Amino acid sequence: VQLQASGGGLVQPGGFLRLSCATSGFTLDEYAIGWFRQAPGKERERVACTSEGDSSTYYADSVKGRFTISRDNAKNTVYLQMNSLKLEDTAVYFCAAADYGGSGCSILAYDYWGRGTLVTVSS
């Protein structure tokens, strides 16, 4: 199981980015996929998760209405569309996969992690 996040960069407040998570080694639709982030000096936190088959999604309160998680099973890729970015969204973003129990977006449920991509929101 492999995951690789990409698409980070420097963006101004109010701007947008789309992160991608390329996956391989497993059937994407059979796993819950989550996006998590870790800001400097802070613990890793959950951002958004989608369950197996996309039957349910979870968003942290801080990103509701601004971020959208989606997946393209044909491309084995998961996306995180981030709009109306704020300074406090600055962090390293990670994608992760869970084969069981991932719909609640608990970090502990996610067994497979990719390397992160840095998102910097700054004017």
Side-chain angles (χ1 to χ4, degrees), residues 5 19 21 34-38 44 47 91-96 113-117:
L19 304 184
C21 176
W35 284 97
F36 303 84
R37 68 186 181 187
Q38 188 165 15
R44 190 169 299 187
V47 175
V92 176
Y93 284 71
F94 301 86
C95 56
W113 291 79
R115 295 178 65 180
T117 185

Side-chain angles (χ1 to χ4, degrees), residues 16 29 50 60 80 95 117:
F16 64 91
D29 196 44
T50 182
L80 183 69
C95 56
T117 185

Side-chain angles (χ1 to χ4, degrees), residues 8 40 76 78 86 100:
N76 293 317
V78 182
K86 303 177 180 180
Y100 178 78

Side-chain angles (χ1 to χ4, degrees), residues 1-3 20-24 26-36 46-54 56-59 69-73 76-80 94-106 109-113:
V1 175
Q2 292 188 325
L3 305 97
S20 298
C21 176
T23 71
S24 62
F26 63 104
T27 302
L28 181 57
D29 196 44
E30 295 179 358
Y31 282 67
I33 300 294
W35 284 97
F36 303 84
R46 53 190 180 180
V47 175
C49 296
T50 182
S51 63
E52 301 90 331
D54 293 332
S56 66
T57 55
Y58 166 90
Y59 293 95
I69 186 171
S70 63
R71 71 170 93 200
D72 185 332
N73 293 321
N76 293 317
T77 302
V78 182
Y79 303 99
L80 183 69
F94 301 86
C95 56
D99 55 6
Y100 178 78
S103 61
C105 215
S106 169
Y110 283 78
D111 300 310
Y112 309 101
W113 291 79

